[in-house]
Amino acid sequence: MIYIFKTSVSCKEDILHLEPIIKKYLSFSTWNFDLSDCDKIFRIDTNKEQKETIIQLMNENGYNCEELVD
């Protein structure tokens, strides 16, 4: 399952702040940020249903996050 989120993550320091938190909750998933995209994309490839958990995790850490759907 691939999730794509629009975020307010704006720089590499934000990613470094989030990395240990994300790894804790998405330990068996592949993920990355695309800061060059205007939507600051957060892409996750996982085998679990985790959309709400991811949005909550990002919001609790001070970042806006919303799923982008086709």
Side-chain angles (χ1 to χ4, degrees), residues 8-16 35 40:
S8 63
V9 172
S10 62
C11 62
K12 190 164 184 120
E13 288 78 19
D14 291 341
I15 297 170
L16 292 174
L35 299 181
K40 309 301 184 201

Side-chain angles (χ1 to χ4, degrees), residues 9-69:
V9 172
S10 62
C11 62
K12 190 164 184 120
E13 288 78 19
D14 291 341
I15 297 170
L16 292 174
H17 168 77
L18 288 167
E19 186 173 17
I21 300 162
I22 293 169
K23 283 183 176 181
K24 179 179 176 182
Y25 289 96
L26 299 173
S27 59
F28 296 103
S29 304
T30 303
W31 57 272
N32 64 42
F33 285 91
D34 182 358
L35 299 181
S36 64
D37 187 279
C38 65
D39 289 327
K40 309 301 184 201
I41 297 296
F42 180 28
R43 184 176 289 108
I44 303 164
D45 186 356
T46 184
N47 58 358
K48 296 180 181 179
E49 172 66 41
Q50 297 187 350
K51 177 178 75 171
E52 296 303 321
T53 301
I54 293 162
I55 292 171
Q56 180 180 355
L57 177 72
M58 294 291 286
N59 290 335
E60 286 175 354
N61 284 280
Y63 300 94
N64 294 326
C65 181
E66 63 184 81
E67 185 177 24
L68 293 177
V69 289

